[in-house]
Amino acid sequence: DGGITQSPKYLFRKEGQNVTLSCEQNLNHDAMYWYRQDPGQGLRLIYYSQIVNDFQKGDIAEGYSVSREKKESFPLTVTSAQKNPTAFYLCASSLFGDRGRGGYTFGSGTRLTVV
Amino acid sequence: GDSVTQMEGPVTLSEEAFLTINCTYTATGYPSLFWYVQYPGEGLQLLLKATKADDKGSNKGFEATYRKETTSFHLEKGSVQVSDSAVYFCALTDTETGANSKLTFGKGITLSVRP
């Protein structure tokens, strides 16, 4: 079955470390997104990519970086510049050119904790 | 810009009670509207959607009707179950702003159903 796989499910980071969250999809979707979820704050868009080798900053991109070298993959790196990285991170994907009518497909999330 | 407003939560109901979760929106064009559900520790799942005015989306006993005149997309269920306990997000894409519109999410509301 097609879907989005995020890994790992739980991740622990030490102060000053960079960590990379994986997101892979086999839905043949062109667009991919990263969201951060904190309790009581809903979803906040970090980065998105609508096509391979191109990506755009979302509302809270500072301290994060992404790459989109393959259509199927959109990894997110949480850098040491992100001062409060503890959160639940969600990856999503959607079709290109359907004017949004299909909505998004989400992965099951990665919970990142700073120790 | 586009926005989605959800009623304040949390909401606590007894099993078999009637559920209404309000959602209103502001958009410059003609959006598609969505309800997503998030069970504890998981990603978001598409619950239902409507792509044009007066459309009714339905799934798993939940319904929502796209009301253009009141810019609303309220979620209803006639008889909730304990298993409906989750966070519910209303979202929209403005299909007039381009082929690859992003989703705008509401803040989400937590529903708890007591046995």
Side-chain angles (χ1 to χ4, degrees):
Chain A
D1 288 339
I4 296 184
T5 301
Q6 289 188 242
S7 62
K9 191 170 179 64
Y10 299 97
L11 186 58
F12 298 91
R13 191 193 94 167
K14 294 182 179 179
E15 296 280 353
Q17 274 186 339
N18 292 352
V19 291
T20 297
L21 283 60
S22 172
C23 179
E24 304 275 336
Q25 54 97 0
N26 60 3
L27 298 165
N28 201 32
H29 284 174
D30 297 273
M32 298 185 74
Y33 313 82
W34 275 106
Y35 286 89
R36 170 177 171 144
Q37 187 177 25
D38 296 282
Q41 294 203 40
L43 301 175
R44 292 186 288 171
L45 182 63
I46 303 172
Y47 269 99
Y48 65 101
S49 168
Q50 296 181 327
I51 194 169
V52 173
N53 292 322
D54 186 52
F55 47 83
Q56 307 295 327
K57 292 182 179 180
D59 302 317
I60 56 164
E62 185 175 352
Y64 299 96
S65 66
V66 293
S67 63
R68 187 84 187 280
E69 297 176 0
K70 298 186 300 181
K71 186 176 182 178
E72 301 79 17
S73 178
F74 191 41
L76 173 74
T77 297
V78 184
T79 75
S80 57
Q82 171 52 238
K83 297 306 179 188
N84 185 24
T86 295
F88 190 52
Y89 291 87
L90 287 162
C91 181
S93 69
S94 68
L95 283 172
F96 186 90
D98 77 335
R99 296 191 172 274
R101 291 193 179 98
Y104 290 1
T105 300
F106 281 85
S108 57
T110 293
R111 186 165 298 281
L112 173 63
T113 304
V114 174
V115 296
Chain B
D2 299 342
S3 66
V4 176
T5 302
Q6 292 186 233
M7 59 185 282
E8 295 285 327
V11 173
T12 302
L13 295 174
S14 297
E15 204 166 23
E16 299 183 2
F18 184 84
L19 169 71
T20 299
I21 300 178
N22 290 342
C23 172
T24 57
Y25 68 89
T26 303
T28 54
Y30 301 94
S32 294
L33 301 173
F34 306 84
W35 277 101
Y36 283 84
V37 59
Q38 183 181 31
Y39 298 103
E42 298 183 11
L44 278 68
Q45 301 174 25
L46 178 63
L47 181 59
L48 53 85
K49 68 178 182 181
T51 59
K52 62 182 187 297
D54 299 326
D55 269 1
K56 178 186 283 188
S58 61
N59 186 26
K60 299 181 180 180
F62 291 90
E63 293 184 338
T65 300
Y66 188 159
R67 301 286 188 199
K68 189 170 182 293
E69 63 277 11
T70 55
T71 61
S72 65
F73 193 55
H74 305 323
L75 183 68
E76 297 182 335
K77 187 175 185 182
S79 176
V80 294
Q81 305 300 312
V82 172
S83 57
D84 294 327
S85 299
V87 181
Y88 292 81
F89 292 91
C90 186
L92 66 79
T93 50
D94 186 344
T95 59
E96 286 297 312
T97 56
N100 303 300
S101 297
K102 301 192 305 296
L103 285 182
T104 298
F105 287 90
K107 289 186 179 295
I109 185 169
T110 299
L111 170 66
S112 297
V113 180
R114 300 179 302 224

